[in-house]
Every structure is written in structure tokens, then in C-alpha cells.
PDB file of all heavy atoms in Angstrom:
ATOM      1  N   ILE A 231      -6.187  -1.762  -4.468  1.00 95.00           N
ATOM      2  CA  ILE A 231      -4.995  -2.460  -4.961  1.00 95.00           C
ATOM      3  C   ILE A 231      -5.150  -3.974  -4.822  1.00 95.00           C
ATOM      4  O   ILE A 231      -4.732  -4.733  -5.694  1.00 95.00           O
ATOM      5  CB  ILE A 231      -3.702  -1.940  -4.288  1.00 95.00           C
ATOM      6  CG1 ILE A 231      -2.472  -2.330  -5.122  1.00 95.00           C
ATOM      7  CG2 ILE A 231      -3.546  -2.440  -2.880  1.00 95.00           C
ATOM      8  CD1 ILE A 231      -2.359  -1.636  -6.431  1.00 95.00           C
ATOM      9  N   THR A 232      -5.791  -4.427  -3.741  1.00 94.00           N
ATOM     10  CA  THR A 232      -5.972  -5.873  -3.579  1.00 94.00           C
ATOM     11  C   THR A 232      -7.069  -6.398  -4.508  1.00 94.00           C
ATOM     12  O   THR A 232      -6.984  -7.530  -4.988  1.00 94.00           O
ATOM     13  CB  THR A 232      -6.283  -6.250  -2.115  1.00 94.00           C
ATOM     14  OG1 THR A 232      -7.447  -5.546  -1.671  1.00 94.00           O
ATOM     15  CG2 THR A 232      -5.104  -5.931  -1.209  1.00 94.00           C
ATOM     16  N   TYR A 233      -8.076  -5.582  -4.769  1.00 91.00           N
ATOM     17  CA  TYR A 233      -9.120  -5.976  -5.725  1.00 91.00           C
ATOM     18  C   TYR A 233      -8.510  -6.118  -7.117  1.00 91.00           C
ATOM     19  O   TYR A 233      -8.760  -7.095  -7.833  1.00 91.00           O
ATOM     20  CB  TYR A 233     -10.252  -4.946  -5.726  1.00 91.00           C
ATOM     21  CG  TYR A 233     -11.355  -5.280  -6.697  1.00 91.00           C
ATOM     22  CD1 TYR A 233     -12.286  -6.276  -6.410  1.00 91.00           C
ATOM     23  CD2 TYR A 233     -11.467  -4.614  -7.915  1.00 91.00           C
ATOM     24  CE1 TYR A 233     -13.296  -6.600  -7.304  1.00 91.00           C
ATOM     25  CE2 TYR A 233     -12.472  -4.929  -8.814  1.00 91.00           C
ATOM     26  CZ  TYR A 233     -13.386  -5.919  -8.499  1.00 91.00           C
ATOM     27  OH  TYR A 233     -14.378  -6.235  -9.395  1.00 91.00           O
ATOM     28  N   GLN A 234      -7.678  -5.157  -7.505  1.00 93.00           N
ATOM     29  CA  GLN A 234      -7.012  -5.218  -8.811  1.00 93.00           C
ATOM     30  C   GLN A 234      -6.091  -6.441  -8.883  1.00 93.00           C
ATOM     31  O   GLN A 234      -6.057  -7.149  -9.893  1.00 93.00           O
ATOM     32  CB  GLN A 234      -6.215  -3.937  -9.049  1.00 93.00           C
ATOM     33  CG  GLN A 234      -5.542  -3.889 -10.398  1.00 93.00           C
ATOM     34  CD  GLN A 234      -4.768  -2.599 -10.600  1.00 93.00           C
ATOM     35  OE1 GLN A 234      -4.644  -1.772  -9.700  1.00 93.00           O
ATOM     36  NE2 GLN A 234      -4.232  -2.442 -11.786  1.00 93.00           N
ATOM     37  N   TRP A 235      -5.367  -6.693  -7.801  1.00 95.00           N
ATOM     38  CA  TRP A 235      -4.498  -7.871  -7.712  1.00 95.00           C
ATOM     39  C   TRP A 235      -5.303  -9.144  -7.969  1.00 95.00           C
ATOM     40  O   TRP A 235      -4.878 -10.033  -8.704  1.00 95.00           O
ATOM     41  CB  TRP A 235      -3.850  -7.886  -6.330  1.00 95.00           C
ATOM     42  CG  TRP A 235      -3.134  -9.137  -5.923  1.00 95.00           C
ATOM     43  CD1 TRP A 235      -1.859  -9.502  -6.235  1.00 95.00           C
ATOM     44  CD2 TRP A 235      -3.651 -10.201  -5.092  1.00 95.00           C
ATOM     45  NE1 TRP A 235      -1.546 -10.709  -5.657  1.00 95.00           N
ATOM     46  CE2 TRP A 235      -2.626 -11.155  -4.950  1.00 95.00           C
ATOM     47  CE3 TRP A 235      -4.870 -10.416  -4.455  1.00 95.00           C
ATOM     48  CZ2 TRP A 235      -2.786 -12.310  -4.199  1.00 95.00           C
ATOM     49  CZ3 TRP A 235      -5.031 -11.571  -3.705  1.00 95.00           C
ATOM     50  CH2 TRP A 235      -4.003 -12.503  -3.587  1.00 95.00           C
ATOM     51  N   ASN A 236      -6.479  -9.226  -7.372  1.00 90.00           N
ATOM     52  CA  ASN A 236      -7.349 -10.380  -7.546  1.00 90.00           C
ATOM     53  C   ASN A 236      -7.867 -10.463  -8.982  1.00 90.00           C
ATOM     54  O   ASN A 236      -7.848 -11.533  -9.589  1.00 90.00           O
ATOM     55  CB  ASN A 236      -8.520 -10.306  -6.565  1.00 90.00           C
ATOM     56  CG  ASN A 236      -9.375 -11.545  -6.623  1.00 90.00           C
ATOM     57  OD1 ASN A 236      -8.887 -12.641  -6.411  1.00 90.00           O
ATOM     58  ND2 ASN A 236     -10.641 -11.371  -6.929  1.00 90.00           N
ATOM     59  N   GLN A 237      -8.304  -9.336  -9.525  1.00 88.00           N
ATOM     60  CA  GLN A 237      -8.839  -9.301 -10.887  1.00 88.00           C
ATOM     61  C   GLN A 237      -7.803  -9.739 -11.915  1.00 88.00           C
ATOM     62  O   GLN A 237      -8.141 -10.350 -12.923  1.00 88.00           O
ATOM     63  CB  GLN A 237      -9.306  -7.882 -11.245  1.00 88.00           C
ATOM     64  CG  GLN A 237     -10.564  -7.435 -10.544  1.00 88.00           C
ATOM     65  CD  GLN A 237     -11.781  -8.118 -11.109  1.00 88.00           C
ATOM     66  OE1 GLN A 237     -12.233  -9.128 -10.579  1.00 88.00           O
ATOM     67  NE2 GLN A 237     -12.308  -7.597 -12.180  1.00 88.00           N
ATOM     68  N   GLU A 238      -6.553  -9.399 -11.653  1.00 92.00           N
ATOM     69  CA  GLU A 238      -5.484  -9.719 -12.596  1.00 92.00           C
ATOM     70  C   GLU A 238      -4.922 -11.124 -12.387  1.00 92.00           C
ATOM     71  O   GLU A 238      -3.891 -11.477 -12.938  1.00 92.00           O
ATOM     72  CB  GLU A 238      -4.374  -8.666 -12.491  1.00 92.00           C
ATOM     73  CG  GLU A 238      -4.831  -7.308 -12.978  1.00 92.00           C
ATOM     74  CD  GLU A 238      -3.824  -6.202 -12.744  1.00 92.00           C
ATOM     75  OE1 GLU A 238      -2.807  -6.423 -12.046  1.00 92.00           O
ATOM     76  OE2 GLU A 238      -4.076  -5.093 -13.254  1.00 92.00           O
ATOM     77  N   GLY A 239      -5.600 -11.901 -11.567  1.00 91.00           N
ATOM     78  CA  GLY A 239      -5.235 -13.305 -11.415  1.00 91.00           C
ATOM     79  C   GLY A 239      -4.222 -13.605 -10.338  1.00 91.00           C
ATOM     80  O   GLY A 239      -3.612 -14.677 -10.345  1.00 91.00           O
ATOM     81  N   ARG A 240      -4.004 -12.670  -9.394  1.00 93.00           N
ATOM     82  CA  ARG A 240      -3.120 -12.898  -8.261  1.00 93.00           C
ATOM     83  C   ARG A 240      -1.761 -13.425  -8.734  1.00 93.00           C
ATOM     84  O   ARG A 240      -1.284 -14.457  -8.283  1.00 93.00           O
ATOM     85  CB  ARG A 240      -3.778 -13.862  -7.264  1.00 93.00           C
ATOM     86  CG  ARG A 240      -5.104 -13.357  -6.758  1.00 93.00           C
ATOM     87  CD  ARG A 240      -5.836 -14.307  -5.859  1.00 93.00           C
ATOM     88  NE  ARG A 240      -6.067 -15.630  -6.387  1.00 93.00           N
ATOM     89  CZ  ARG A 240      -7.024 -15.954  -7.256  1.00 93.00           C
ATOM     90  NH1 ARG A 240      -7.842 -15.033  -7.684  1.00 93.00           N
ATOM     91  NH2 ARG A 240      -7.165 -17.186  -7.680  1.00 93.00           N
ATOM     92  N   GLN A 241      -1.149 -12.692  -9.678  1.00 94.00           N
ATOM     93  CA  GLN A 241       0.089 -13.140 -10.310  1.00 94.00           C
ATOM     94  C   GLN A 241       1.322 -13.011  -9.426  1.00 94.00           C
ATOM     95  O   GLN A 241       2.362 -13.579  -9.729  1.00 94.00           O
ATOM     96  CB  GLN A 241       0.292 -12.391 -11.625  1.00 94.00           C
ATOM     97  CG  GLN A 241      -0.799 -12.723 -12.617  1.00 94.00           C
ATOM     98  CD  GLN A 241      -0.679 -11.950 -13.910  1.00 94.00           C
ATOM     99  OE1 GLN A 241       0.317 -11.293 -14.155  1.00 94.00           O
ATOM    100  NE2 GLN A 241      -1.702 -12.035 -14.731  1.00 94.00           N
ATOM    101  N   GLU A 242       1.229 -12.226  -8.360  1.00 95.00           N
ATOM    102  CA  GLU A 242       2.347 -12.137  -7.429  1.00 95.00           C
ATOM    103  C   GLU A 242       1.846 -12.480  -6.042  1.00 95.00           C
ATOM    104  O   GLU A 242       0.653 -12.435  -5.774  1.00 95.00           O
ATOM    105  CB  GLU A 242       2.987 -10.746  -7.458  1.00 95.00           C
ATOM    106  CG  GLU A 242       2.049  -9.614  -7.098  1.00 95.00           C
ATOM    107  CD  GLU A 242       2.663  -8.247  -7.332  1.00 95.00           C
ATOM    108  OE1 GLU A 242       3.893  -8.122  -7.352  1.00 95.00           O
ATOM    109  OE2 GLU A 242       1.897  -7.299  -7.491  1.00 95.00           O
ATOM    110  N   SER A 243       2.748 -12.813  -5.164  1.00 96.00           N
ATOM    111  CA  SER A 243       2.357 -13.182  -3.803  1.00 96.00           C
ATOM    112  C   SER A 243       1.869 -11.946  -3.054  1.00 96.00           C
ATOM    113  O   SER A 243       2.254 -10.817  -3.388  1.00 96.00           O
ATOM    114  CB  SER A 243       3.543 -13.795  -3.066  1.00 96.00           C
ATOM    115  OG  SER A 243       4.510 -12.789  -2.808  1.00 96.00           O
ATOM    116  N   PRO A 244       1.033 -12.140  -2.027  1.00 96.00           N
ATOM    117  CA  PRO A 244       0.620 -11.003  -1.206  1.00 96.00           C
ATOM    118  C   PRO A 244       1.816 -10.260  -0.609  1.00 96.00           C
ATOM    119  O   PRO A 244       1.794  -9.037  -0.508  1.00 96.00           O
ATOM    120  CB  PRO A 244      -0.238 -11.651  -0.112  1.00 96.00           C
ATOM    121  CG  PRO A 244      -0.814 -12.856  -0.775  1.00 96.00           C
ATOM    122  CD  PRO A 244       0.284 -13.362  -1.664  1.00 96.00           C
ATOM    123  N   SER A 245       2.884 -10.978  -0.246  1.00 95.00           N
ATOM    124  CA  SER A 245       4.053 -10.302   0.336  1.00 95.00           C
ATOM    125  C   SER A 245       4.763  -9.441  -0.706  1.00 95.00           C
ATOM    126  O   SER A 245       5.234  -8.345  -0.391  1.00 95.00           O
ATOM    127  CB  SER A 245       5.019 -11.300   0.974  1.00 95.00           C
ATOM    128  OG  SER A 245       5.478 -12.223   0.025  1.00 95.00           O
ATOM    129  N   ALA A 246       4.816  -9.902  -1.971  1.00 96.00           N
ATOM    130  CA  ALA A 246       5.423  -9.090  -3.030  1.00 96.00           C
ATOM    131  C   ALA A 246       4.585  -7.841  -3.284  1.00 96.00           C
ATOM    132  O   ALA A 246       5.123  -6.741  -3.454  1.00 96.00           O
ATOM    133  CB  ALA A 246       5.568  -9.906  -4.311  1.00 96.00           C
ATOM    134  N   LEU A 247       3.280  -8.011  -3.279  1.00 96.00           N
ATOM    135  CA  LEU A 247       2.374  -6.869  -3.457  1.00 96.00           C
ATOM    136  C   LEU A 247       2.563  -5.870  -2.318  1.00 96.00           C
ATOM    137  O   LEU A 247       2.733  -4.670  -2.549  1.00 96.00           O
ATOM    138  CB  LEU A 247       0.920  -7.358  -3.498  1.00 96.00           C
ATOM    139  CG  LEU A 247      -0.143  -6.270  -3.631  1.00 96.00           C
ATOM    140  CD1 LEU A 247      -0.087  -5.624  -5.010  1.00 96.00           C
ATOM    141  CD2 LEU A 247      -1.532  -6.874  -3.381  1.00 96.00           C
ATOM    142  N   ALA A 248       2.560  -6.368  -1.089  1.00 95.00           N
ATOM    143  CA  ALA A 248       2.702  -5.496   0.081  1.00 95.00           C
ATOM    144  C   ALA A 248       4.031  -4.755   0.071  1.00 95.00           C
ATOM    145  O   ALA A 248       4.090  -3.577   0.411  1.00 95.00           O
ATOM    146  CB  ALA A 248       2.545  -6.306   1.365  1.00 95.00           C
ATOM    147  N   SER A 249       5.097  -5.441  -0.349  1.00 94.00           N
ATOM    148  CA  SER A 249       6.417  -4.787  -0.331  1.00 94.00           C
ATOM    149  C   SER A 249       6.467  -3.597  -1.283  1.00 94.00           C
ATOM    150  O   SER A 249       7.200  -2.640  -1.053  1.00 94.00           O
ATOM    151  CB  SER A 249       7.528  -5.784  -0.657  1.00 94.00           C
ATOM    152  OG  SER A 249       7.436  -6.203  -2.004  1.00 94.00           O
ATOM    153  N   LYS A 250       5.659  -3.620  -2.334  1.00 92.00           N
ATOM    154  CA  LYS A 250       5.595  -2.485  -3.270  1.00 92.00           C
ATOM    155  C   LYS A 250       4.688  -1.366  -2.764  1.00 92.00           C
ATOM    156  O   LYS A 250       4.956  -0.199  -2.970  1.00 92.00           O
ATOM    157  CB  LYS A 250       5.053  -2.952  -4.628  1.00 92.00           C
ATOM    158  CG  LYS A 250       5.999  -3.752  -5.443  1.00 92.00           C
ATOM    159  CD  LYS A 250       5.407  -3.924  -6.827  1.00 92.00           C
ATOM    160  CE  LYS A 250       5.473  -5.359  -7.242  1.00 92.00           C
ATOM    161  NZ  LYS A 250       4.747  -5.636  -8.472  1.00 92.00           N
ATOM    162  N   ILE A 251       3.595  -1.758  -2.123  1.00 92.00           N
ATOM    163  CA  ILE A 251       2.543  -0.805  -1.766  1.00 92.00           C
ATOM    164  C   ILE A 251       2.759  -0.146  -0.410  1.00 92.00           C
ATOM    165  O   ILE A 251       2.508   1.044  -0.241  1.00 92.00           O
ATOM    166  CB  ILE A 251       1.164  -1.508  -1.801  1.00 92.00           C
ATOM    167  CG1 ILE A 251       0.899  -2.101  -3.178  1.00 92.00           C
ATOM    168  CG2 ILE A 251       0.044  -0.568  -1.393  1.00 92.00           C
ATOM    169  CD1 ILE A 251       1.058  -1.140  -4.333  1.00 92.00           C
ATOM    170  N   VAL A 252       3.229  -0.900   0.571  1.00 93.00           N
ATOM    171  CA  VAL A 252       3.363  -0.366   1.929  1.00 93.00           C
ATOM    172  C   VAL A 252       4.206   0.911   1.982  1.00 93.00           C
ATOM    173  O   VAL A 252       3.794   1.884   2.622  1.00 93.00           O
ATOM    174  CB  VAL A 252       3.883  -1.440   2.912  1.00 93.00           C
ATOM    175  CG1 VAL A 252       4.252  -0.834   4.258  1.00 93.00           C
ATOM    176  CG2 VAL A 252       2.832  -2.528   3.100  1.00 93.00           C
ATOM    177  N   PRO A 253       5.366   0.991   1.318  1.00 90.00           N
ATOM    178  CA  PRO A 253       6.147   2.236   1.387  1.00 90.00           C
ATOM    179  C   PRO A 253       5.371   3.461   0.868  1.00 90.00           C
ATOM    180  O   PRO A 253       5.497   4.550   1.417  1.00 90.00           O
ATOM    181  CB  PRO A 253       7.366   1.954   0.498  1.00 90.00           C
ATOM    182  CG  PRO A 253       7.495   0.468   0.504  1.00 90.00           C
ATOM    183  CD  PRO A 253       6.095  -0.060   0.578  1.00 90.00           C
ATOM    184  N   LEU A 254       4.546   3.257  -0.154  1.00 87.00           N
ATOM    185  CA  LEU A 254       3.748   4.366  -0.686  1.00 87.00           C
ATOM    186  C   LEU A 254       2.709   4.830   0.330  1.00 87.00           C
ATOM    187  O   LEU A 254       2.491   6.024   0.527  1.00 87.00           O
ATOM    188  CB  LEU A 254       3.046   3.937  -1.977  1.00 87.00           C
ATOM    189  CG  LEU A 254       3.943   3.508  -3.131  1.00 87.00           C
ATOM    190  CD1 LEU A 254       3.110   2.944  -4.276  1.00 87.00           C
ATOM    191  CD2 LEU A 254       4.790   4.675  -3.610  1.00 87.00           C
ATOM    192  N   ILE A 255       2.093   3.856   0.979  1.00 85.00           N
ATOM    193  CA  ILE A 255       1.062   4.174   1.970  1.00 85.00           C
ATOM    194  C   ILE A 255       1.677   4.801   3.216  1.00 85.00           C
ATOM    195  O   ILE A 255       1.170   5.792   3.740  1.00 85.00           O
ATOM    196  CB  ILE A 255       0.250   2.910   2.321  1.00 85.00           C
ATOM    197  CG1 ILE A 255      -0.581   2.492   1.100  1.00 85.00           C
ATOM    198  CG2 ILE A 255      -0.644   3.143   3.528  1.00 85.00           C
ATOM    199  CD1 ILE A 255      -1.304   1.179   1.262  1.00 85.00           C
ATOM    200  N   ILE A 256       2.776   4.243   3.680  1.00 82.00           N
ATOM    201  CA  ILE A 256       3.419   4.740   4.902  1.00 82.00           C
ATOM    202  C   ILE A 256       3.881   6.186   4.717  1.00 82.00           C
ATOM    203  O   ILE A 256       3.836   6.989   5.647  1.00 82.00           O
ATOM    204  CB  ILE A 256       4.595   3.825   5.316  1.00 82.00           C
ATOM    205  CG1 ILE A 256       4.035   2.476   5.809  1.00 82.00           C
ATOM    206  CG2 ILE A 256       5.467   4.455   6.375  1.00 82.00           C
ATOM    207  CD1 ILE A 256       3.102   2.567   7.001  1.00 82.00           C
ATOM    208  N   GLY A 257       4.290   6.536   3.509  1.00 74.00           N
ATOM    209  CA  GLY A 257       4.675   7.931   3.242  1.00 74.00           C
ATOM    210  C   GLY A 257       3.545   8.892   3.567  1.00 74.00           C
ATOM    211  O   GLY A 257       3.757   9.961   4.144  1.00 74.00           O
ATOM    212  N   GLY A 258       2.324   8.511   3.229  1.00 62.00           N
ATOM    213  CA  GLY A 258       1.167   9.355   3.534  1.00 62.00           C
ATOM    214  C   GLY A 258       0.838   9.379   5.014  1.00 62.00           C
ATOM    215  O   GLY A 258       0.515  10.424   5.581  1.00 62.00           O
ATOM    216  N   ILE A 259       0.943   8.231   5.667  1.00 62.00           N
ATOM    217  CA  ILE A 259       0.642   8.150   7.103  1.00 62.00           C
ATOM    218  C   ILE A 259       1.635   8.995   7.899  1.00 62.00           C
ATOM    219  O   ILE A 259       1.266   9.656   8.866  1.00 62.00           O
ATOM    220  CB  ILE A 259       0.678   6.690   7.602  1.00 62.00           C
ATOM    221  CG1 ILE A 259      -0.441   5.889   6.965  1.00 62.00           C
ATOM    222  CG2 ILE A 259       0.568   6.620   9.119  1.00 62.00           C
ATOM    223  CD1 ILE A 259      -0.366   4.403   7.234  1.00 62.00           C
ATOM    224  N   SER A 260       2.894   9.003   7.476  1.00 60.00           N
ATOM    225  CA  SER A 260       3.906   9.757   8.220  1.00 60.00           C
ATOM    226  C   SER A 260       3.592  11.252   8.232  1.00 60.00           C
ATOM    227  O   SER A 260       4.005  11.964   9.132  1.00 60.00           O
ATOM    228  CB  SER A 260       5.301   9.501   7.649  1.00 60.00           C
ATOM    229  OG  SER A 260       5.378   9.979   6.316  1.00 60.00           O
ATOM    230  N   GLN A 261       2.809  11.717   7.262  1.00 56.00           N
ATOM    231  CA  GLN A 261       2.407  13.133   7.236  1.00 56.00           C
ATOM    232  C   GLN A 261       1.564  13.493   8.460  1.00 56.00           C
ATOM    233  O   GLN A 261       1.602  14.619   8.927  1.00 56.00           O
ATOM    234  CB  GLN A 261       1.626  13.448   5.959  1.00 56.00           C
ATOM    235  CG  GLN A 261       2.489  13.563   4.725  1.00 56.00           C
ATOM    236  CD  GLN A 261       3.555  14.647   4.883  1.00 56.00           C
ATOM    237  OE1 GLN A 261       4.736  14.340   4.979  1.00 56.00           O
ATOM    238  NE2 GLN A 261       3.146  15.882   4.953  1.00 56.00           N
ATOM    239  N   LEU A 262       0.800  12.546   8.971  1.00 55.00           N
ATOM    240  CA  LEU A 262       0.003  12.816  10.167  1.00 55.00           C
ATOM    241  C   LEU A 262       0.911  13.187  11.334  1.00 55.00           C
ATOM    242  O   LEU A 262       0.600  14.076  12.120  1.00 55.00           O
ATOM    243  CB  LEU A 262      -0.838  11.585  10.554  1.00 55.00           C
ATOM    244  CG  LEU A 262      -2.053  11.282   9.686  1.00 55.00           C
ATOM    245  CD1 LEU A 262      -2.647   9.939  10.094  1.00 55.00           C
ATOM    246  CD2 LEU A 262      -3.080  12.379   9.787  1.00 55.00           C
ATOM    247  N   HIS A 263       2.041  12.527  11.449  1.00 52.00           N
ATOM    248  CA  HIS A 263       2.986  12.793  12.546  1.00 52.00           C
ATOM    249  C   HIS A 263       3.707  14.103  12.312  1.00 52.00           C
ATOM    250  O   HIS A 263       3.982  14.843  13.272  1.00 52.00           O
ATOM    251  CB  HIS A 263       3.968  11.642  12.704  1.00 52.00           C
ATOM    252  CG  HIS A 263       3.292  10.336  12.964  1.00 52.00           C
ATOM    253  ND1 HIS A 263       2.547  10.103  14.089  1.00 52.00           N
ATOM    254  CD2 HIS A 263       3.207   9.207  12.218  1.00 52.00           C
ATOM    255  CE1 HIS A 263       2.048   8.878  14.042  1.00 52.00           C
ATOM    256  NE2 HIS A 263       2.429   8.314  12.911  1.00 52.00           N
ATOM    257  N   VAL A 264       4.030  14.416  11.063  1.00 46.00           N
ATOM    258  CA  VAL A 264       4.714  15.677  10.756  1.00 46.00           C
ATOM    259  C   VAL A 264       3.815  16.848  11.131  1.00 46.00           C
ATOM    260  O   VAL A 264       4.243  17.806  11.769  1.00 46.00           O
ATOM    261  CB  VAL A 264       5.097  15.743   9.256  1.00 46.00           C
ATOM    262  CG1 VAL A 264       5.574  17.132   8.869  1.00 46.00           C
ATOM    263  CG2 VAL A 264       6.162  14.695   8.939  1.00 46.00           C
ATOM    264  N   GLU A 265       2.530  16.769  10.754  1.00 49.00           N
ATOM    265  CA  GLU A 265       1.590  17.834  11.079  1.00 49.00           C
ATOM    266  C   GLU A 265       1.461  18.000  12.576  1.00 49.00           C
ATOM    267  O   GLU A 265       1.336  19.104  13.084  1.00 49.00           O
ATOM    268  CB  GLU A 265       0.203  17.526  10.479  1.00 49.00           C
ATOM    269  CG  GLU A 265       0.170  17.652   8.976  1.00 49.00           C
ATOM    270  CD  GLU A 265      -1.143  17.172   8.395  1.00 49.00           C
ATOM    271  OE1 GLU A 265      -2.107  16.955   9.168  1.00 49.00           O
ATOM    272  OE2 GLU A 265      -1.219  16.998   7.173  1.00 49.00           O
ATOM    273  N   GLU A 266       1.476  16.896  13.314  1.00 51.00           N
ATOM    274  CA  GLU A 266       1.345  16.936  14.759  1.00 51.00           C
ATOM    275  C   GLU A 266       2.516  17.686  15.391  1.00 51.00           C
ATOM    276  O   GLU A 266       2.372  18.413  16.365  1.00 51.00           O
ATOM    277  CB  GLU A 266       1.265  15.501  15.318  1.00 51.00           C
ATOM    278  CG  GLU A 266       0.920  15.464  16.766  1.00 51.00           C
ATOM    279  CD  GLU A 266      -0.380  14.743  16.997  1.00 51.00           C
ATOM    280  OE1 GLU A 266      -1.363  14.997  16.288  1.00 51.00           O
ATOM    281  OE2 GLU A 266      -0.409  13.930  17.912  1.00 51.00           O
ATOM    282  N   GLU A 267       3.700  17.509  14.820  1.00 50.00           N
ATOM    283  CA  GLU A 267       4.901  18.140  15.376  1.00 50.00           C
ATOM    284  C   GLU A 267       4.946  19.649  15.094  1.00 50.00           C
ATOM    285  O   GLU A 267       5.579  20.399  15.784  1.00 50.00           O
ATOM    286  CB  GLU A 267       6.150  17.463  14.795  1.00 50.00           C
ATOM    287  CG  GLU A 267       6.327  16.043  15.307  1.00 50.00           C
ATOM    288  CD  GLU A 267       7.363  15.263  14.509  1.00 50.00           C
ATOM    289  OE1 GLU A 267       8.048  15.875  13.654  1.00 50.00           O
ATOM    290  OE2 GLU A 267       7.471  14.045  14.723  1.00 50.00           O
ATOM    291  N   LEU A 268       4.255  20.072  14.015  1.00 46.00           N
ATOM    292  CA  LEU A 268       4.291  21.498  13.647  1.00 46.00           C
ATOM    293  C   LEU A 268       3.513  22.387  14.579  1.00 46.00           C
ATOM    294  O   LEU A 268       2.714  22.234  15.264  1.00 46.00           O
ATOM    295  CB  LEU A 268       3.756  21.682  12.211  1.00 46.00           C
ATOM    296  CG  LEU A 268       4.601  21.026  11.128  1.00 46.00           C
ATOM    297  CD1 LEU A 268       3.926  21.238   9.776  1.00 46.00           C
ATOM    298  CD2 LEU A 268       5.987  21.597  11.088  1.00 46.00           C
TER     299      LEU A 268
END
């Protein structure tokens, strides 16, 4: 995602990029904790 951001000319700030991407990534990470609880 950061490589694509760079290729496309860094049209948005890193914080704007992170605010879109982090929730998607965190959703996957939270699965590790769910599995642990099962």
C-alpha cells in the first residue's frame, strides 16, 4: 500500500493513508486474539 502510494505521487498525507488502512489491518490482527480465546 505504501509502494502504491509512492507510485501514485503521494497524493495524500501518510496520516490520511494510515487512517484508511489501519482499520482494515487491525481487523485481521484482532483475529489472532479471538483464536486465542477459543
Side-chain angles (χ1 to χ4, degrees):
I231 199 69
T232 57
Y233 179 76
Q234 182 180 5
W235 168 83
N236 185 58
Q237 288 287 96
E238 293 173 351
R240 302 176 306 281
Q241 296 177 10
E242 60 188 337
S243 70
S245 60
L247 178 69
S249 68
K250 286 190 229 171
I251 302 307
V252 170
L254 299 173
I255 292 173
I256 290 300
I259 294 172
S260 64
Q261 284 302 111
L262 286 172
H263 302 296
V264 170
E265 289 172 12
E266 189 118 314
E267 291 167 8
L268 295 178

